[in-house]
Amino acid sequence: QVQLVESGGGLVQPGGSLRLSCAASGSIFNINSMGWYRQAPGKERELVARITKRTRTSAATYTSYADSVRGRFTVSRDNASNTVYLQMNSLKPEDTAVYYCNVLDGTWSATWGQGTQVTVSS
């Protein structure tokens, strides 16, 4: 069973930065993908960014970003510690949401984090 612990959310002014962290623990044999989703009040949950292995056997990865955050957010992963990060720069009020970590294991089974609130406001 995979367990996820998120941290790094909070209140920041427009134009500011935050870094989210999500650490995976438990009996983890393999992780194919780690990423972030967000959900704002009254809106559906949407993919923000993720980093994914190209194949089960390859160490190479690729990243995916929502159009609304590309160029401002950066997702990265520390494979040794099974931790994924989301560096968020030039934050806008419309980035305000609950951000959820998501992990897909070696069989593509999903695990979700508890969510962390990000609020961008003056």
Side-chain angles (χ1 to χ4, degrees):
Q1 182 179 0
V2 179
Q3 297 171 310
L4 305 178
V5 179
E6 300 181 32
S7 63
L11 175 65
V12 65
Q13 295 184 6
S17 298
L18 285 174
R19 189 181 76 156
L20 304 184
S21 176
C22 175
S25 62
S27 299
I28 304 174
F29 182 75
N30 192 29
I31 295 177
N32 284 343
S33 181
M34 303 184 75
W36 298 91
Y37 289 70
R38 69 185 181 187
Q39 187 167 22
K43 302 183 70 175
E44 294 184 350
R45 187 173 298 185
E46 64 174 348
L47 173 67
V48 178
R50 67 167 51 254
I51 182 165
T52 307
K53 290 182 177 179
R54 294 188 179 275
T55 67
R56 293 187 64 191
T57 58
S58 176
T61 61
Y62 66 91
T63 55
S64 301
Y65 295 94
D67 289 342
S68 59
V69 308
R70 187 175 292 108
R72 299 187 296 120
F73 292 9
T74 302
V75 64
S76 61
R77 180 169 65 184
D78 183 343
N79 291 329
S81 62
N82 286 327
T83 301
V84 64
Y85 304 94
L86 184 66
Q87 179 66 47
M88 304 184 293
N89 299 326
S90 302
L91 283 162
K92 305 175 181 179
E94 48 263 47
D95 294 319
T96 296
V98 177
Y99 284 69
Y100 296 92
C101 182
N102 173 265
V103 170
L104 303 177
D105 68 14
T107 65
W108 305 98
S109 179
T111 300
W112 292 91
Q114 80 281 3
T116 184
Q117 177 71 48
V118 172
T119 302
V120 185
S121 176
S122 299

